[in-house]
Amino acid sequence: MARIVPVIASSSSVAFSRNLHLGLCSASPRPPSPLLGLGFAIHQHCLSGIRTSRLIKRETCIKVSSPGNMAQPITTIGKEEALEWVKKDNRRLLHVVYRVGDLERTIKFYTECLGMKLLRKRDIPEEKYTNAFLGYGPEDSHFVVELTYNYGVDKYDIGTAFGHFGIAVEDVAKTVDLIKAKGGKVTREPGPVKGGKSVIAFIEDPDGYKFELIERGPTPEPLCQVMLRVGDLERSIEFYEKAFGMELLRKRDNPEYKYTIAMMGYGPEDKNAVLELTYNYGVKEYEQGNAYAQIAIGTDDVYKTADAIKLHGGGRITREPGPLPGINTKITACLDPDGWKSVFVDNIDFAKELE
């Protein structure tokens, strides 16, 4: 059978062993197991009766087990030092986490239609969920997806706030034809982007997540974008620049179609995964739903990372920096001004988890 393989400059293999699960919504008093992975799987008991929340509301499904997470500690560095440090920190996007209703069905679609590789998979019956990591290269050097299946939950609300994931391919038209041949859903036929020249197409996976196929030459990072909608673009740009240390790579206004986008990231778009922020004229609020979870970002120091976020303001720390109970991997988690969640993971600890 024909298989779509996005253009990749290089690839390598990596052995995976001990991993770590950041189950902040779990009601279990047990410390996280060393066999669990780097992601916030929202367990079934946290999803029952869950309501979609607006971007302006704060996240509520977080329950921490460590007493040190209950209060915001006094920052240890000054504002100028913190904001300067984030620009020098060694950061990259590690993975994006979201929930699916049928894990095997989604794995089949991603591998056969999108050309991804199943990097690893693990089942955690005591917590009633299963994870699968897929991408175009090993986790120590590529941005990947972390799929979460919660036992018995076959449907989620994606909402209107989440936009799409972006995948760079050499030939969009050919990719679309192959996806159609495998029964995939194409929602936008190949052609120039509105207000631009880049050739794109849109498809949907079995759970309704949209993927933008972008025609592009060889790239080391085919999984190249995560698009999120925001209610105040300038506010979001400032937050991600100063609190997260991202660079505004480009900004494009499309008055004809009444929207503006800003590409934010830690390196050039053709070599790194980036965050695409979209502002639709006059729209200040969106429904976030309960399907999309968060992005994980590597950092050399989770403590300084949390300090910078607090000192900048606009966001909110939801998990104080420090090692998870019973495990040495250090993390911190926060919400941006629109309520989008990000998790920062210590680079050295993350590398040890992949040994």
Side-chain angles (χ1 to χ4, degrees):
M1 259 188 164
R3 181 178 176 186
I4 297 170
V5 180
V7 178
I8 307 175
S10 63
S11 64
S12 60
S13 62
V14 63
F16 299 107
S17 57
R18 190 172 58 92
N19 300 300
L20 158 73
H21 172 63
L22 312 183
L24 297 188
C25 284
S26 174
S28 170
R30 296 188 303 274
S33 165
L35 297 177
L36 307 180
L38 286 165
F40 290 82
I42 305 301
H43 305 314
Q44 184 173 348
H45 57 261
C46 281
L47 291 168
S48 58
I50 193 168
R51 298 172 60 88
T52 57
S53 60
R54 294 188 182 279
L55 282 174
I56 59 173
K57 293 182 179 179
R58 298 303 186 186
E59 181 176 331
T60 57
C61 190
I62 293 180
K63 185 174 183 179
V64 294
S65 58
S66 172
N69 296 333
M70 303 306 293
Q72 304 276 335
I74 299 174
T75 55
T76 58
I77 55 177
K79 185 173 183 178
E80 290 186 7
E81 181 185 354
L83 299 183
E84 183 63 29
W85 178 81
V86 297
K87 298 177 183 178
K88 300 177 181 179
D89 189 21
N90 182 29
R91 297 185 176 184
R92 74 174 181 91
L93 303 186
L94 302 177
H95 53 252
V96 59
V97 186
Y98 51 103
R99 306 168 188 97
V100 298
D102 185 328
L103 190 60
E104 295 308 315
R105 177 186 64 183
T106 304
I107 290 172
K108 180 179 176 65
F109 182 84
Y110 285 14
T111 55
E112 294 186 1
C113 292
L114 300 180
M116 291 187 188
K117 297 177 182 179
L118 176 60
L119 303 173
R120 58 186 170 111
K121 181 182 176 184
R122 50 131 191 279
D123 183 43
I124 312 297
E126 64 270 21
E127 296 291 346
K128 298 183 179 181
Y129 74 92
T130 306
N131 286 137
F133 293 78
L134 297 97
Y136 298 106
E139 291 177 71
D140 62 352
S141 58
H142 289 73
F143 184 54
V144 306
V145 299
E146 178 184 340
L147 306 177
T148 296
Y149 168 70
N150 292 290
Y151 290 10
V153 183
D154 60 7
K155 189 176 182 180
Y156 296 92
D157 176 17
I158 293 178
T160 59
F162 173 78
H164 61 261
F165 303 110
I167 297 179
V169 298
E170 188 173 34
D171 190 323
V172 168
K174 182 178 179 181
T175 301
V176 167
D177 287 343
L178 289 172
I179 290 173
K180 286 181 178 178
K182 293 179 180 295
K185 183 179 180 180
V186 177
T187 59
R188 200 264 200 197
E189 293 291 337
V193 65
K194 292 179 180 179
K197 297 180 180 180
S198 299
V199 176
I200 66 166
F202 275 92
I203 65 166
E204 281 188 11
D205 77 358
D207 289 277
Y209 290 102
K210 290 181 172 62
F211 283 80
E212 179 182 14
L213 305 178
I214 307 165
E215 195 158 282
R216 185 179 292 177
T219 172
E221 196 69 277
L223 183 61
C224 58
Q225 291 179 4
V226 176
M227 192 276 261
L228 305 174
R229 297 184 177 94
V230 298
D232 185 330
L233 188 60
E234 295 307 315
R235 177 186 65 181
S236 295
I237 290 173
E238 181 184 20
F239 177 82
Y240 281 99
E241 280 185 321
K242 295 184 178 180
F244 276 34
M246 289 187 180
E247 178 185 354
L248 175 59
L249 302 171
R250 64 184 173 96
K251 183 180 177 183
R252 187 178 79 236
D253 184 37
N254 292 279
E256 181 181 357
Y257 299 102
K258 298 182 179 180
Y259 75 91
T260 308
I261 64 170
M263 296 294 190
M264 312 290 299
Y266 296 111
E269 287 181 69
D270 61 341
K271 295 181 175 64
N272 300 271
V274 301
L275 186 62
E276 177 182 347
L277 304 176
T278 297
Y279 168 70
N280 293 295
Y281 289 10
V283 183
K284 301 295 184 182
E285 299 177 4
Y286 297 93
E287 295 294 332
Q288 281 195 334
N290 62 355
Y292 174 87
Q294 76 275 323
I295 289 177
I297 302 172
T299 176
D300 285 339
D301 192 321
V302 297
Y303 300 95
K304 287 185 177 179
T305 292
D307 282 344
I309 293 169
K310 294 173 191 175
L311 287 166
H312 175 267
R316 181 166 68 92
I317 296 295
T318 57
R319 203 282 184 190
E320 288 294 335
L324 290 172
I327 303 174
N328 291 326
T329 299
K330 296 177 287 295
I331 65 102
T332 189
C334 73
L335 302 180
D336 79 353
D338 290 285
W340 293 115
K341 183 165 65 175
S342 295
V343 182
F344 286 86
V345 184
D346 181 87
N347 285 324
I348 294 177
D349 293 344
F350 181 67
K352 290 178 180 178
E353 294 299 322
L354 299 178
E355 291 177 352

